[in-house]
Amino acid sequence: MAGNKAVAYQGPGRVEVVDTDYPEFELKDGPGVNPANVGRKVPHGAIVKAVATNICGSDQHMVRGRTTAPTGLILGHEITGEVVETGRDVEFIKVGDLVSVPFNIACGRCRNCKEGKTGVCENVNPDRPGSAYGYVDMGGWVGGQAEYVLVPYADWNLLRFPDKDQAMEKILDLAMLADIFPTGHHGCVTAGVGPGSTVYIAGAGPVGLAAAASAFLLGAAVVIVGDLNKERLAQARSFGCETADVSLGDPKDQVEQILGVPEVDCSVDAVGFEARGHGQDAGTERPATVLNSLMTTTRAGGSIGIPGLYVTGDPGAADDAAKEGSLSLRFGLGWARSHSFFTGQCPVMRYNRQLMMAILNDRVHIAKAVNATPIPLAQAAKGYADFDKGAASKFVLDPHGMLGSRA
């Protein structure tokens, strides 16, 4: 293969589909690649032809210029595809397999991987534990919003779908297994969602909607989704959620209107560090607003799952403290109410097989819940722009025209 096309970050507010190299079984120098990773051999890897590769809100943080991502970084960590080549050390994954690629890059050998903490693998990112494709400060593994992508440790990382024809019939649902479905599910599991739970989910973007679908799958009695975006709130209502429009004020009051009490059993933060204020402050960025509001909305002794992204470096933050990830949290309130907080990357491999089975056996329709919308790779820039404007859609790039009219 002579070449490849991929989506590259070109500075704040700009992405472009560029011609780039076809993957090899070696990590080459390039934008964002850690010098210690340059030249790293990958005989344990596989080259995957992307069938579906999604635009994520985490990508959007970089494209807005809210991270230290370098120009030219190839984006994309939500990858589903077909194996077209394997390295000499790959034993079980075969050419032709249709697979989901967890966004966490994990070696399967370190202490954390062996404990199931694949979001903080110790061997793939020289900067710190944890890695992902096409993401700032994650070691420099090339992103998968592309025609082809290299996946290291293929036998460990790849989830093979058992039946290709069945998988292609449900490919938009299965495309959510790379990140947002397990991530939303992780938020709910860590928050303690179970049969009969009342749940508040902050954020009606794709991760929030995936969390809401997961809450129902886990047996929640009532799922309330809060957001400022009326179209996204309507999408949440389309599959049975109650909603809270936080532009009207603190969600606690609307929770009371729905439940008769001003608190829920479990809460999930699916917003992250670009949170906006509530009520009169709805148009102003207030990065601690969601976390502080969840402490008032979650019952004493309850848990708060935090799959929403928080960063250690935010050059676009409103104040110097937030630029380093320091937020004005009411931590004393959380302590007084005996809350448990769960943070960090979702360990996708902990959940993806179970969620795959739920999809294949029609226990959940995640693509419908998040309004998965296929677009050609060439329209990536428009997809990013529409997503940034608040479209109530999960845009799925179709590099090879294999998704057809599936929607």
Side-chain angles (χ1 to χ4, degrees):
M1 294 285 184
N4 191 11
K5 291 186 181 297
V7 180
Y9 170 63
Q10 301 288 27
R14 294 176 50 233
V15 299
E16 182 181 350
V17 177
V18 299
D19 292 317
T20 188
D21 293 334
Y22 183 81
E24 299 179 26
F25 293 102
E26 179 181 332
L27 191 53
K28 306 285 189 177
D29 196 8
V33 180
N34 189 294
N37 263 349
V38 174
R40 184 170 180 165
K41 305 296 184 184
V42 191
H44 42 69
I47 295 172
V48 172
K49 175 183 178 180
V51 173
T53 176
N54 313 337
I55 296 174
C56 180
S58 298
D59 299 319
Q60 198 68 268
H61 293 307
M62 290 188 290
V63 173
R64 290 188 187 120
R66 296 299 297 268
T67 71
T68 55
T71 299
L73 182 73
I74 302 300
L75 301 170
H77 57 270
E78 297 190 17
I79 310 157
T80 307
E82 181 182 8
V83 175
V84 294
E85 193 174 349
T86 59
R88 70 171 187 266
D89 293 345
V90 176
E91 185 176 0
F92 303 112
I93 290 292
K94 305 298 182 186
V95 170
D97 285 346
L98 195 61
V99 296
S100 178
V101 184
F103 81 89
N104 319 116
I105 301 174
C107 72
R109 296 152 166 81
C110 70
R111 174 180 175 175
N112 282 341
C113 283
K114 289 179 179 180
E115 293 178 356
K117 300 171 184 174
T118 54
V120 281
C121 173
E122 297 173 331
N123 289 331
V124 289
N125 181 2
D127 285 328
R128 62 175 185 264
S131 188
Y133 304 88
Y135 212 83
V136 59
D137 296 333
M138 289 291 187
W141 299 92
V142 178
Q145 286 174 13
E147 293 175 325
Y148 300 93
V149 63
L150 173 67
V151 175
Y153 304 102
D155 281 329
W156 168 252
N157 283 306
L158 293 178
L159 174 67
R160 184 178 67 85
F161 302 139
D163 184 290
K164 287 182 71 173
D165 291 337
Q166 181 192 28
M168 284 304 298
E169 287 299 316
K170 298 178 179 291
I171 194 64
L172 286 183
D173 294 282
L174 294 169
M176 303 305 132
L177 291 174
D179 181 354
I180 66 163
F181 194 11
T183 293
H185 193 76
H186 180 62
C188 289
V189 169
T190 55
V193 177
S197 298
T198 57
V199 186
Y200 179 77
I201 295 168
V207 171
L209 296 173
S214 295
F216 285 125
L217 189 63
L218 290 165
V222 182
V223 179
I224 305 168
V225 179
D227 205 294
L228 301 161
N229 183 312
K230 290 178 172 52
E231 289 184 8
R232 290 182 171 180
L233 290 174
Q235 180 64 26
R237 289 192 294 272
S238 74
F239 61 98
C241 301
E242 301 288 342
T243 56
D245 183 347
V246 298
S247 69
L248 302 177
D250 194 301
K252 184 176 180 179
D253 300 327
Q254 295 173 68
V255 167
E256 184 170 20
Q257 292 174 11
I258 295 166
L259 297 177
V261 292
E263 61 185 21
V264 293
D265 298 322
C266 319
S267 291
V268 177
D269 174 3
V271 177
F273 74 102
E274 287 193 68
R276 305 247 163 209
H278 297 157
Q280 294 181 353
D281 292 331
T284 305
E285 191 166 303
R286 295 279 190 269
T289 294
V290 168
L291 291 171
N292 286 331
S293 72
L294 293 186
M295 287 185 246
T296 66
T297 308
T298 307
R299 69 176 182 87
S303 297
I304 300 172
I306 310 173
L309 176 68
Y310 288 87
V311 295
T312 57
D314 175 10
D319 59 67
D320 289 340
K323 287 179 180 178
E324 296 181 349
S326 296
L327 309 182
S328 298
L329 291 179
R330 295 185 66 193
F331 193 73
L333 176 62
W335 189 94
R337 292 173 65 80
S338 293
H339 285 150
S340 298
F341 300 85
F342 295 87
T343 67
Q345 281 189 33
C346 164
V348 170
M349 293 173 66
R350 189 177 299 175
Y351 308 106
N352 62 352
R353 187 184 182 281
Q354 300 96 306
L355 296 177
M356 174 188 75
M357 294 303 293
I359 289 169
L360 294 177
N361 290 284
D362 292 319
R363 304 305 299 170
V364 65
H365 301 282
I366 188 65
K368 184 177 180 181
V370 302
N371 193 24
T373 305
I375 60 175
L377 185 69
Q379 293 182 16
K382 184 178 187 303
Y384 270 96
D386 289 347
F387 190 38
D388 194 45
K389 293 173 185 174
S393 300
K394 174 67 172 177
F395 291 109
V396 180
L397 300 176
D398 183 6
H400 296 277
M402 298 177 70
L403 300 181
S405 60
R406 294 176 175 87

